[in-house]
Amino acid sequence: MIEFDGISLRLGEFSLRDVTLHIGTGEYFFIIGPSGAGKTVLLEAIAGLHSPDGGRILLRQKDVRTTPPEDRRISLMYQDYSLFPHMTVEENISFGLKMQQVSPEKVKERVRRIMERFGIANLANRLPRTMSGGEQQRVALARALVVEPDVLLLDEPLAALDPITRDFFTRELARIREEYGLTVVHVSHSREEALRLATRVAVIIDGRLVAEGTREEIFSAPPYREIARFVGMENILDGEVIGTAGGYVTIRIGKCRLRAPDRGLKEGDKVAACIRAHEIRISPTPPAGREENVLSGRIVSMLSDGAMVRMTLETPFTPMIADVHRSKVIRHGLKEGMEVFLWCPPDAVVAAPSLHPVESS
Amino acid sequence: MIEFDGISLRLGEFSLRDVTLHIGTGEYFFIIGPSGAGKTVLLEAIAGLHSPDGGRILLRQKDVRTTPPEDRRISLMYQDYSLFPHMTVEENISFGLKMQQVSPEKVKERVRRIMERFGIANLANRLPRTMSGGEQQRVALARALVVEPDVLLLDEPLAALDPITRDFFTRELARIREEYGLTVVHVSHSREEALRLATRVAVIIDGRLVAEGTREEIFSAPPYREIARFVGMENILDGEVIGTAGGYVTIRIGKCRLRAPDRGLKEGDKVAACIRAHEIRISPTPPAGREENVLSGRIVSMLSDGAMVRMTLETPFTPMIADVHRSKVIRHGLKEGMEVFLWCPPDAVVAAPSLHPVESS
Amino acid sequence: MKGDRSWWKGHRSSHRLPDACLLSFALFGSLIVVLTVLAILSLAVPEVGDIPHLLEVAAKGRIVDSILLTMGAGLNAVLILLLFGIPLAYVLARVNFRGKGIVESLVDLPLMLPHTIAGIMVYLLFMERGPLGAPLAQAGIFFEDAYAGVVVAMVFVSSPYLINSVREGFENVPLHIENVARTLGASRFQAFARVVLPLSVRHIYSGAILAWGRAIGEFAAIIMIAYYPMVISTVIYYTFTTQGIKEARSVAFVFLVVCLAVFGLLRFLTRFMGKYDDRI
Amino acid sequence: MKGDRSWWKGHRSSHRLPDACLLSFALFGSLIVVLTVLAILSLAVPEVGDIPHLLEVAAKGRIVDSILLTMGAGLNAVLILLLFGIPLAYVLARVNFRGKGIVESLVDLPLMLPHTIAGIMVYLLFMERGPLGAPLAQAGIFFEDAYAGVVVAMVFVSSPYLINSVREGFENVPLHIENVARTLGASRFQAFARVVLPLSVRHIYSGAILAWGRAIGEFAAIIMIAYYPMVISTVIYYTFTTQGIKEARSVAFVFLVVCLAVFGLLRFLTRFMGKYDDRI
């Protein structure tokens, strides 16, 4: 559906560098990355609002270098919704159809239908500034969809909403994609949204596409240390590969050793061992029958928020964070200040090298 | 330490209306509320930057109506840190001491000590714009504390930081308060920060102080529906009190009934039954021995993020959200589309009336 | 400063008084404002005190004609500026091109140029032997001592006011809104006409008022190319040199009252314009 | 518009060309810029072609004296404006008071006032019989046909440029920064002097340049009160009426070159100023 072939694009302080990408028909494609990484520029390049300095963009198998935005049949929605402030809701939604010279009766009919679909028929004569964020969001969606695009570009569509409305729209977006048979490209830096919506995820850092894969690949086994940090892996321990055997590597971190699945690393590589807080088990005695991936530490703080208790632990090299279920805490009688053992299964450790390797001893 | 006695203050679009408040020495006092509620204005009034239109502010038992900000010995830190951009780090930190006519040698010594304490001695000659958010934050704290205030006002101090730095500074703030024996007033809208730091919490909505209490009171048993929504209670079910008995009330929601601890309600009151997602138990058969607070529903979606599974359920009146531990899901064989029973203990239901009661049938 | 503050420390009002620093700043700064007030009074008071003479001056055909000429030529200049200035302002607001800085300097030049130099330039360009004046004279359009000369001088000196104000209006319309219009099927011109232009109405209007005010107040640039027909500034100067300050003061006051009335009316009409650009 | 676009659709360059709408806008709008370029050329080309005559004019004592007088009086006016304008700008930037709108209108008045009316006002106020002129004449300060008259007229017409620019600079300094300075123990004046002022240096400087440029270019307001000593604008006009366009063109060109050189130098010096206000 959408192909980027070595796209480069400079635009003031933002830039894309040699981005190659393929988004298939019907995908819910997520683009995540820190702010300023070039995510919005990428969306705008798809919509035809910027011309690349180098490379090709294919849309529906055709080179669209000379196709202006108005002829691309791609709708774009920004975080601020960008409703036309001088038009009523009905005029906003009608705008696209009028531009496409649809007859006035048909415009009226199609706008009426979509306003009913989105539950905004009662807002028809309101001006955008008189409406809440959630209402504006629905109008913007209706305006984008009434022209029947087959691609919908979303630039942080949920960032400006409060948590409850956001939750509602997350489900709504998934439903809309099915209903309209859309290919969606969604830019965000929310991990939760990606987990709930994405079929595939790409990570952009500093204008470069540094990773692409299913959401499980990116979130559970991030290929680089920087991505691990970005997707919120709580524990990132820097070390060095000291051996590989049987599909696993051994990573030395200070005086400790951790085993992790091998991902094509070799001895001497600098890597970070990344572990999610909820994968760490805590016990007051050495875990029976476990000899690897066991560390000792001391509980510094415990914080309960619902069923899980978040612990900060002091270990020989760095503070670590573990999420433990409340029942475990009670069973083991865990308390602040206690000396404990930390264990995690080798398959839960992600060995991630750095994108920008630094020289160190 | 800080007393507000019926303070009213209009300032453009922000206002405080009849705020009465008492903050004791050594407290870590949290002020939460939606944006635009007047939280920053309140801090600035404590600092003496606005004069109230009505009411009295007492500081250390003295009326401070005529005490200008420079004589109050109160430090203020904004979300944007507001470092002086034309001064180096050292000049920024020295500023307050110079204004207080401390001798140059003493200034040098005290600034050196605090820069070491905050690990920023290496930044002494840098200009603010060349530093990261975390570094700026440390400089701003050092600048605020070097003048040895006994009150520290923090306006969303952690909002601009990335999650990992934020986590670090949350612990740092707790440590600093003890070390310097400070009374801290912290404005935020982060529930997590409040849970980790606050000794007491006040809620401001539309310029009014609508609730005040320990963090448990505010977060676990919010007194009003609006606050329940704001502190992130996932399930808020609107209903009406139909009976009170033995310290509990019975709330009718559609055709269902929920029991909740009585908080001075009477028959016919409109209330919302608020329940946290992790307090809801799910089982495929009616829970044995439970006759109250049982609802039937259907699992619409399940989303796993770590050890917990978040479920959305369709019930006879409204969608509900439940967080269930993964082991339970496996044990009961819960799946999307399944008809299940929801149960929650009466003590986990919070009966919260609305701040702005609406007429309804 | 600390000592200075004591005088109000005992004050019991619930509003704290502004501090000594602010008060002395206000006192000092108000001298400029007082100068302007005195200037207005010294013009207005004697005139208001001699209404019959004032009416007599105001009713003179020469004065009325001159005022109408000045206002009309100003309007004419603004219409020409709108025609060429709006496209230029849009290009400056939306496109980055090499040499943009030079174009911006050229646009701003009449702002910084001494007025008599501007007058010399306009004269050189549009006099009958001038590079533009000569061919246009062939076509029957004359500028020296003619209405067209007044308009051309006004266009030259007031162009930056209109262009910069309209450009600011266009820049205030978020690019996102224009982008969305494009993706919905609008060509660039349609997006401009349907979205950017309506959202900039107030800036265009106030730019036009500014340019018009600058145009009707011009003197130096106009007298070089067109001493006749006399615009009102020329009449005031001519009266001053030939009849003295008393007569000139009356003419100036009449013109001032007309100017203030028209500006007041124009500003008042702004209220009825779309207010969308306040909040975008 | 859709049809128009076809002519470049076949283009193979990797950069898409700007669309027809933008191109025609640029073409249309450039006419104003071309007018300015032609105006400069029609002044400069003949002068550069006759360097000996130009040098002869430039070396005349009368011209040199007049340029020095104009520049000096302009500087004098700016210094007076800085003294009174900075406090006023701070008050306008930081305090909301009743009647603020009126004060703002009074500050802006000289911007919209026709120049000859401004001249009449200044004359009325500072002439020997005037409400300010009379007492000052007692003190030995005369304005009619005197240096002080030139300065006063310049102060009046250029004041809004300085005040508005400085005010914008002060408004750009976030109130938060000033608030923090206060809580750290600085009085309002200390916070102003140590934090607000250094962070507004560039705005003050560019406001001063603007005001100076406006002052040295003034003609109408100055000739009313002080035809002598002749500022350069007066010399240009006098030469034009007595010796014709050729002589006047030379004087104008000399003055233009001096102006551009000085402005260029002043703008160049801006580079060495603190750049903090870019990023606050």
Side-chain angles (χ1 to χ4, degrees):
Chain A
M1 192 61 168
I2 302 166
E3 277 172 75
F4 272 45
D5 183 3
I7 290 296
S8 297
L9 204 165
R10 270 202 70 80
L11 197 85
E13 47 185 320
F14 298 102
S15 69
L16 296 178
R17 284 182 274 173
D18 196 21
V19 172
T20 298
L21 196 64
H22 182 279
I23 301 172
T25 307
E27 280 197 278
Y28 201 121
F29 196 87
F30 242 78
I31 297 173
I32 62 174
S35 36
K39 307 189 295 292
T40 302
V41 173
L42 192 144
L43 283 195
E44 292 175 339
I46 297 176
L49 295 159
H50 308 301
S51 314
D53 301 323
R56 280 192 322 161
I57 298 177
L58 300 185
L59 213 62
R60 308 177 193 94
Q61 279 84 53
K62 276 191 206 130
D63 189 334
V64 290
R65 191 194 330 249
T66 57
T67 313
E70 59 266 34
D71 296 340
R72 292 201 179 186
R73 288 190 296 128
I74 290 181
S75 282
L76 167 62
M77 193 175 96
Y78 288 105
Q79 174 179 356
D80 58 10
Y81 316 133
S82 293
L83 296 176
F84 306 131
H86 58 308
M87 300 184 191
T88 64
V89 166
E90 190 172 359
E91 289 166 345
N92 261 282
I93 301 174
S94 310
F95 183 85
L97 295 175
K98 281 187 196 152
M99 289 300 113
Q100 295 173 6
Q101 327 246 315
V102 176
S103 72
E105 311 84 65
K106 276 199 183 154
V107 171
K108 232 182 150 56
E109 173 56 21
R110 281 170 68 179
V111 169
R112 194 191 53 74
R113 260 204 323 244
I114 206 156
M115 287 200 298
E116 275 167 15
R117 160 69 183 82
F118 282 92
I120 48 178
N122 56 322
L123 302 174
N125 295 314
R126 294 266 292 280
L127 283 173
R129 67 165 175 276
T130 67
M131 305 187 306
S132 72
E135 288 169 339
Q136 292 191 31
Q137 149 92 279
R138 257 174 287 170
V139 174
L141 262 180
R143 181 179 66 173
L145 294 174
V146 76
V147 295
E148 297 180 351
D150 51 0
V151 176
L152 179 62
L153 309 176
L154 301 169
D155 188 8
E156 308 237 13
L158 305 168
L161 301 173
D162 65 88
I164 291 157
T165 319
R166 191 185 304 153
D167 195 73
F168 173 79
F169 273 111
T170 309
R171 274 173 276 150
E172 186 75 0
L173 282 177
R175 209 173 297 155
I176 283 169
R177 179 177 64 119
E178 294 209 358
E179 191 178 326
Y180 288 81
L182 291 168
T183 304
V184 180
V185 186
H186 183 134
V187 152
S188 173
H189 46 232
S190 157
R191 189 176 140 232
E192 203 191 337
E193 287 169 27
L195 280 171
R196 295 176 71 168
L197 290 166
T199 57
R200 244 169 4 121
V201 178
V203 184
I204 292 203
I205 293 178
D206 280 341
R208 283 182 207 285
L209 187 100
V210 295
E212 206 208 310
T214 65
R215 64 184 182 200
E216 286 75 23
E217 284 164 3
I218 301 297
F219 284 99
S220 310
Y224 295 106
R225 185 183 188 284
E226 286 79 7
I227 300 174
R229 214 180 138 92
F230 185 74
V231 300
M233 307 269 291
E234 290 86 354
N235 300 292
I236 296 181
L237 316 171
D238 288 306
E240 188 186 323
V241 175
I242 55 164
T244 68
Y248 286 87
V249 293
T250 307
I251 304 168
R252 192 188 63 207
I253 297 145
K255 284 181 184 164
C256 303
R257 274 153 184 70
L258 283 176
R259 283 225 304 162
D262 190 0
R263 306 164 81 196
L265 294 159
K266 58 182 198 299
E267 253 189 75
D269 283 358
K270 308 263 175 247
V271 291
C274 310
I275 312 165
R276 287 227 177 261
H278 67 80
E279 297 286 5
I280 294 177
R281 323 285 199 259
I282 307 282
S283 58
T285 52
R290 314 283 188 198
E291 279 160 33
E292 324 165 302
N293 292 11
V294 178
L295 309 171
S296 64
R298 199 171 58 84
I299 301 177
V300 175
S301 74
M302 289 172 49
L303 183 81
S304 167
D305 177 17
M308 301 300 285
V309 177
R310 168 154 289 200
M311 296 184 182
T312 311
L313 299 115
E314 238 175 53
T315 69
F317 31 89
T318 179
M320 288 180 68
I321 293 171
D323 286 341
V324 181
H325 197 257
R326 202 194 270 167
S327 59
K328 284 261 176 67
V329 174
I330 296 166
R331 194 191 317 152
H332 291 313
L334 300 177
K335 282 200 189 68
E336 290 188 8
M338 210 179 212
E339 301 285 342
V340 291
F341 292 86
L342 294 79
W343 176 76
C344 83
D347 285 324
V349 180
V350 178
S354 179
L355 256 178
H356 311 288
V358 258
E359 300 301 309
S360 75
S361 58
Chain B
M1 191 63 169
I2 303 167
E3 276 173 77
F4 271 45
D5 184 2
I7 289 297
S8 296
L9 204 165
R10 268 200 72 78
L11 197 85
E13 46 186 323
F14 298 102
S15 68
L16 296 179
R17 285 181 274 173
D18 196 21
V19 173
T20 297
L21 196 65
H22 182 280
I23 301 173
T25 306
E27 278 198 281
Y28 200 121
F29 196 86
F30 242 77
I31 296 173
I32 63 172
S35 34
K39 307 188 296 293
T40 302
V41 173
L42 192 145
L43 283 195
E44 291 175 340
I46 297 176
L49 296 159
H50 307 300
S51 315
D53 302 323
R56 280 193 322 161
I57 298 177
L58 299 185
L59 212 64
R60 308 178 192 93
Q61 278 85 55
K62 277 189 204 133
D63 189 336
V64 290
R65 193 196 325 252
T66 56
T67 313
E70 59 265 32
D71 296 339
R72 292 200 178 187
R73 287 191 297 127
I74 290 180
S75 281
L76 168 62
M77 192 173 96
Y78 286 105
Q79 176 180 353
D80 58 10
Y81 314 133
S82 293
L83 296 176
F84 306 131
H86 57 309
M87 300 185 191
T88 63
V89 166
E90 189 171 3
E91 289 165 345
N92 261 283
I93 301 174
S94 311
F95 183 85
L97 295 175
K98 281 187 197 152
M99 288 301 112
Q100 294 175 4
Q101 326 243 317
V102 177
S103 71
E105 310 85 65
K106 274 199 185 155
V107 171
K108 232 184 150 54
E109 173 56 20
R110 280 169 68 178
V111 169
R112 193 189 56 73
R113 257 202 326 241
I114 205 156
M115 287 200 299
E116 273 167 18
R117 160 67 184 84
F118 282 92
I120 48 177
N122 56 323
L123 302 174
N125 296 314
R126 295 267 291 278
L127 284 171
R129 67 165 174 277
T130 67
M131 304 188 306
S132 72
E135 288 169 339
Q136 292 191 32
Q137 149 91 280
R138 257 173 287 171
V139 174
L141 263 180
R143 181 180 64 173
L145 295 174
V146 75
V147 295
E148 295 179 354
D150 52 0
V151 177
L152 179 62
L153 309 176
L154 301 169
D155 188 8
E156 308 237 13
L158 306 169
L161 300 174
D162 66 87
I164 291 159
T165 318
R166 190 185 305 151
D167 194 75
F168 174 80
F169 272 111
T170 310
R171 274 172 277 150
E172 186 75 357
L173 282 177
R175 207 172 299 156
I176 283 168
R177 178 177 63 119
E178 294 210 357
E179 191 177 326
Y180 288 81
L182 291 168
T183 304
V184 180
V185 186
H186 183 135
V187 152
S188 173
H189 46 231
S190 159
R191 188 176 142 233
E192 203 191 340
E193 287 169 26
L195 279 171
R196 295 176 72 167
L197 291 167
T199 57
R200 238 157 23 107
V201 177
V203 184
I204 292 201
I205 293 179
D206 279 341
R208 283 183 206 283
L209 188 99
V210 295
E212 204 208 311
T214 65
R215 66 183 180 199
E216 286 75 22
E217 283 164 4
I218 302 295
F219 284 99
S220 310
Y224 294 106
R225 186 184 187 284
E226 286 77 6
I227 300 174
R229 215 181 135 89
F230 185 74
V231 300
M233 307 268 294
E234 289 86 354
N235 300 291
I236 296 180
L237 315 171
D238 288 306
E240 188 186 322
V241 176
I242 56 165
T244 67
Y248 287 87
V249 294
T250 306
I251 305 169
R252 192 190 64 207
I253 299 146
K255 287 181 183 165
C256 303
R257 276 153 181 70
L258 284 176
R259 284 226 302 161
D262 189 0
R263 307 163 80 197
L265 295 159
K266 58 181 198 299
E267 253 186 75
D269 283 357
K270 308 264 175 246
V271 291
C274 310
I275 313 165
R276 285 224 178 262
H278 66 78
E279 298 285 4
I280 295 177
R281 322 285 199 258
I282 306 284
S283 58
T285 52
R290 315 283 187 199
E291 278 160 34
E292 324 163 302
N293 292 10
V294 177
L295 310 170
S296 64
R298 197 173 57 84
I299 301 176
V300 175
S301 75
M302 290 171 49
L303 182 81
S304 167
D305 177 16
M308 301 301 284
V309 176
R310 166 154 290 199
M311 295 185 185
T312 312
L313 297 115
E314 236 175 54
T315 69
F317 31 89
T318 181
M320 289 182 65
I321 293 171
D323 287 340
V324 181
H325 196 256
R326 200 193 272 166
S327 59
K328 284 258 176 71
V329 174
I330 296 166
R331 196 190 316 151
H332 291 313
L334 299 176
K335 284 201 186 66
E336 290 188 7
M338 212 178 209
E339 300 286 341
V340 292
F341 292 88
L342 294 79
W343 175 78
C344 83
D347 285 323
V349 181
V350 178
S354 180
L355 256 178
H356 312 287
V358 259
E359 301 301 309
S360 74
S361 60
Chain C
M1 290 308 295
K2 292 220 168 183
D4 295 352
R5 213 181 297 110
S6 58
W7 66 266
W8 56 261
K9 267 205 171 166
H11 204 281
R12 291 282 96 198
S13 141
S14 101
H15 258 280
R16 200 160 69 225
L17 279 181
D19 50 52
C21 169
L22 266 189
L23 278 182
S24 49
F25 273 28
L27 218 67
F28 220 68
S30 65
L31 288 180
I32 291 183
V33 182
V34 166
L35 184 71
T36 307
V37 172
L38 280 179
I40 296 173
L41 290 180
S42 65
L43 176 60
V45 169
E47 291 305 320
V48 174
D50 190 359
I51 299 279
H53 178 253
L54 187 64
L55 290 177
E56 186 190 316
V57 171
K60 272 184 190 163
R62 201 164 51 93
I63 305 290
V64 174
D65 287 351
S66 176
I67 289 181
L68 289 178
L69 166 77
T70 311
M71 301 267 174
L75 188 64
N76 210 326
V78 167
L79 291 178
I80 293 174
L81 276 175
L82 285 173
L83 189 66
F84 296 98
I86 287 179
L88 181 62
Y90 181 76
V91 172
L92 289 175
R94 285 293 192 244
V95 187
N96 284 313
F97 51 90
R98 215 174 290 183
K100 188 173 180 180
I102 296 170
V103 172
E104 288 171 332
S105 301
L106 287 170
V107 167
D108 282 341
L109 187 78
L111 269 188
M112 293 305 281
L113 211 57
H115 300 161
T116 45
I117 298 187
I120 294 277
M121 282 180 168
V122 171
Y123 181 74
L124 284 169
L125 210 50
F126 288 96
M127 62 185 182
E128 271 183 61
R129 296 166 292 137
L132 291 180
L136 286 165
Q138 296 273 326
I141 308 173
F142 297 92
F143 295 89
E144 277 184 65
D145 285 335
Y147 178 76
V150 174
V151 173
V152 145
M154 285 177 166
V155 165
F156 187 71
V157 296
S158 59
S159 62
Y161 292 85
L162 184 105
I163 295 169
N164 288 333
S165 176
V166 175
R167 175 186 177 168
E168 195 189 317
F170 289 160
E171 278 172 348
N172 276 356
V173 176
L175 200 52
H176 283 184
I177 289 191
E178 209 177 330
N179 283 347
V180 166
R182 299 290 309 270
T183 61
L184 290 173
S187 69
R188 185 181 281 274
F189 183 76
Q190 285 172 318
F192 171 75
R194 302 278 207 125
V195 176
V196 179
L197 211 52
L199 291 176
S200 313
V201 154
R202 272 147 64 98
H203 271 96
I204 294 173
Y205 185 76
S206 78
I209 295 181
L210 266 180
W212 188 72
R214 179 73 183 78
I216 62 170
E218 182 53 27
F219 173 56
I222 295 176
I223 50 168
M224 300 274 187
I225 187 136
Y227 198 90
Y228 297 101
M230 276 194 186
V231 294
I232 195 73
S233 280
T234 315
V235 172
I236 292 173
Y237 182 65
Y238 176 79
T239 313
F240 179 68
T241 49
T242 56
Q243 293 172 271
I245 181 67
K246 187 160 186 302
E247 286 299 306
R249 192 179 66 199
S250 300
V251 181
F253 186 68
V254 170
F255 190 37
L256 181 66
V257 169
V258 173
C259 281
L260 291 182
V262 174
F263 280 129
L265 182 71
L266 291 175
R267 285 273 162 225
F268 178 71
L269 290 178
T270 319
R271 297 200 184 179
F272 301 101
M273 297 207 160
K275 297 225 168 116
Y276 326 107
D277 45 354
D278 282 352
R279 291 236 156 215
I280 46 175
Chain D
M1 292 305 295
K2 294 220 168 183
D4 294 354
R5 211 180 301 110
S6 57
W7 64 267
W8 56 261
K9 267 204 169 164
H11 204 281
R12 292 281 96 200
S13 140
S14 100
H15 259 280
R16 201 161 68 226
L17 280 182
D19 51 52
C21 169
L22 268 188
L23 279 182
S24 50
F25 272 31
L27 219 67
F28 220 68
S30 66
L31 288 179
I32 292 183
V33 181
V34 167
L35 184 73
T36 307
V37 172
L38 281 179
I40 295 173
L41 289 181
S42 65
L43 177 61
V45 168
E47 291 306 322
V48 175
D50 190 359
I51 299 280
H53 179 252
L54 186 65
L55 289 178
E56 187 188 317
V57 171
K60 272 184 190 163
R62 199 165 52 93
I63 306 290
V64 175
D65 286 353
S66 176
I67 289 181
L68 289 177
L69 165 77
T70 312
M71 302 265 172
L75 188 64
N76 209 328
V78 167
L79 290 177
I80 293 173
L81 276 175
L82 285 173
L83 190 65
F84 296 97
I86 287 178
L88 181 61
Y90 181 77
V91 171
L92 290 175
R94 286 291 192 245
V95 188
N96 283 314
F97 52 89
R98 215 174 291 183
K100 187 174 181 180
I102 296 171
V103 172
E104 288 170 332
S105 302
L106 286 171
V107 167
D108 283 339
L109 187 78
L111 268 189
M112 293 304 282
L113 211 58
H115 299 162
T116 45
I117 298 188
I120 294 278
M121 283 180 166
V122 170
Y123 181 75
L124 284 169
L125 210 52
F126 288 96
M127 62 184 183
E128 271 183 62
R129 294 165 294 139
L132 291 180
L136 286 166
Q138 298 270 326
I141 306 175
F142 297 92
F143 293 89
E144 278 185 66
D145 286 335
Y147 179 75
V150 174
V151 173
V152 145
M154 284 178 169
V155 165
F156 187 69
V157 295
S158 59
S159 62
Y161 292 85
L162 184 106
I163 295 169
N164 288 333
S165 176
V166 174
R167 175 186 176 169
E168 195 189 316
F170 289 160
E171 279 171 348
N172 276 356
V173 177
L175 199 52
H176 282 184
I177 288 191
E178 209 177 331
N179 283 347
V180 166
R182 299 290 309 270
T183 61
L184 290 172
S187 70
R188 185 182 280 274
F189 184 76
Q190 284 172 318
F192 171 75
R194 302 278 205 125
V195 176
V196 180
L197 211 53
L199 290 176
S200 313
V201 153
R202 272 147 66 99
H203 270 96
I204 294 173
Y205 185 75
S206 79
I209 294 181
L210 266 180
W212 188 72
R214 179 72 184 78
I216 61 169
E218 182 54 25
F219 172 56
I222 294 175
I223 51 169
M224 301 274 187
I225 187 136
Y227 198 90
Y228 299 99
M230 276 192 184
V231 293
I232 195 74
S233 280
T234 315
V235 172
I236 293 173
Y237 181 66
Y238 176 79
T239 312
F240 179 69
T241 50
T242 56
Q243 294 170 270
I245 180 68
K246 187 160 187 302
E247 285 301 305
R249 193 179 64 197
S250 299
V251 180
F253 186 69
V254 169
F255 191 35
L256 181 65
V257 169
V258 173
C259 282
L260 291 181
V262 175
F263 280 128
L265 182 70
L266 291 176
R267 285 277 161 218
F268 178 72
L269 290 178
T270 319
R271 298 201 183 179
F272 301 102
M273 298 207 159
K275 298 227 168 116
Y276 326 108
D277 45 355
D278 282 351
R279 292 237 154 214
I280 43 175

